[in-house]
């Protein structure tokens, strides 16, 4: 019964993360939204330490300070002005929600296969968001349905499933750091497809933030891989992993 409550919480967090993430890009730009989102390795490191009753490591504190410099560059000198500030704020909120979802999933839901865990979360997110998006569905054209299908299956469900599978074997902070390459890909595609070429300040802020994430990633490689966890969030021996993965 407790697992149903965890699945409900994870689904709500996932839905809120999606909404705030897409809204961050709508009020600013793809580059600003994605760069703001990728402060999540640092946020994850802090929240994960609190979940385990630990003090944040000194390298996490240093990385957080560097990330603040990058965020300052984004909101202070970007030509989008107030729009960039709004994008960063909504992006950071999305980060906190995503970090909580990742850590809770690993600690309390890691005994489920990744595809099943994401299915439950997506189902809850659908139920949460449908009352707001339902009336707009009548205005969606046939071509837009194909685009939504591509977005939902290839660019949302598949990446999140792969990410959830990674959380079974890696710390949430480590898995988050590896995903930082998304900043490069997203900024490049936004420039080529949407004509949103990042300015000097956006590029500088992105370099600072991703650089801090890469610093964390280099340090995380030396950390031992966490063992799998049971339904109560208790580490298990390596031979106790579930057979369905």
């Amino acid at each position: 019964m407790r697992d149903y409550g965890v699945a409900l919480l994870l689904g709500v967090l996932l839905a809120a993360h999606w909404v705030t993430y897409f809204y961050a890009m709508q009020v600013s730009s793809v580059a600003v939204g994605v760069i703001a989102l990728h402060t999540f390795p640092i946020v994850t490191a802090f929240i994960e330490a609190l979940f385990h009753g630990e003090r944040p490591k000194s390298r996490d504190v240093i990385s957080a300070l560097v990330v603040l410099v990058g965020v300052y560059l984004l909101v202070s000198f970007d030509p989008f002005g107030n729009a960039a500030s709004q994008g960063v704020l909504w992006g950071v909120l999305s980060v906190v929600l995503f970090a909580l979802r990742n850590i809770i999933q690993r600690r309390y839901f890691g005994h489920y296969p990744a595809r099943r865990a994401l299915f439950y979360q997506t189902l809850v997110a659908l139920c949460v968001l449908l009352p707001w998006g339902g009336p707009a569905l009548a205005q969606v054209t046939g071509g837009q349905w194909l685009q939504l299908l591509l977005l939902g299956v290839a660019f949302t469900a598949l990446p999140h499933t792969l990410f959830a599978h990674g959380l079974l074997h890696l710390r949430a902070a480590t898995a988050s750091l590896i995903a930082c390459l998304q900043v490069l890909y997203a900024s490049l595609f936004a420039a080529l497809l949407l004509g949103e070429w990042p300015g000097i300040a956006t590029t500088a802020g992105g370099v600072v933030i991703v650089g801090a994430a890469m610093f964390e990633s280099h340090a995380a490689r030396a950390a031992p891989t966490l063992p799998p966890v049971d339904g109560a969030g208790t580490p298990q021996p390596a031979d106790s992993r579930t057979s369905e993965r």
Side-chain angles (χ1 to χ4, degrees), residues 19-120:
V19 171
T20 51
Y21 178 43
F22 286 117
Y23 188 70
M25 290 188 290
Q26 285 184 331
V27 299
S28 56
S29 68
V30 172
V32 170
V34 172
I35 291 172
L37 177 69
H38 280 76
T39 60
F40 73 79
I42 313 302
V43 175
T44 299
F46 274 90
I47 297 179
E48 195 168 43
L50 294 176
F51 261 74
H52 293 287
E54 303 171 352
R55 296 180 60 183
K57 298 180 176 62
S58 57
R59 72 164 188 266
D60 297 333
V61 176
I62 295 173
S63 298
L65 294 175
V66 174
V67 164
L68 286 177
V69 173
V71 170
Y72 176 78
L73 290 173
L74 287 180
V75 301
S76 297
F77 302 105
D78 193 273
F80 288 102
N82 188 50
S85 301
Q86 293 183 40
V88 169
L89 290 175
W90 284 104
V92 171
L93 175 59
S94 181
V95 165
V96 174
L97 296 169
F98 193 45
L100 286 173
R101 175 256 184 179
N102 292 341
I103 295 170
I104 294 173
Q105 175 171 310
R106 166 161 177 83
R107 187 171 178 86
Y108 300 109
F109 219 62
H111 53 294
Y112 284 95
R115 58 185 179 274
R116 186 184 301 177
L118 186 65
F119 171 77
Y120 293 146

Side-chain angles (χ1 to χ4, degrees), residues 127-210:
C127 295
V128 171
L129 297 177
L130 191 58
W132 283 273
L137 294 179
Q139 304 176 9
V140 178
T141 63
Q144 290 174 333
W145 274 114
L146 291 177
Q147 294 173 353
L148 287 173
L149 182 63
L150 181 64
L151 175 65
V153 175
F155 301 129
T156 302
L158 179 59
H160 274 277
T161 300
L162 293 174
F163 193 87
H165 184 72
L167 290 174
L168 298 177
H169 307 283
L170 300 172
R171 294 179 184 272
T174 305
S176 301
L177 292 165
I178 296 173
C180 281
L181 286 174
Q182 182 186 352
V183 174
L184 175 62
Y185 299 143
S187 299
L188 178 61
F189 288 143
L192 295 178
L193 300 179
L194 303 176
E196 292 184 356
W197 293 92
I200 296 177
T202 301
T203 302
V207 169
V208 171
I209 291 173
V210 175

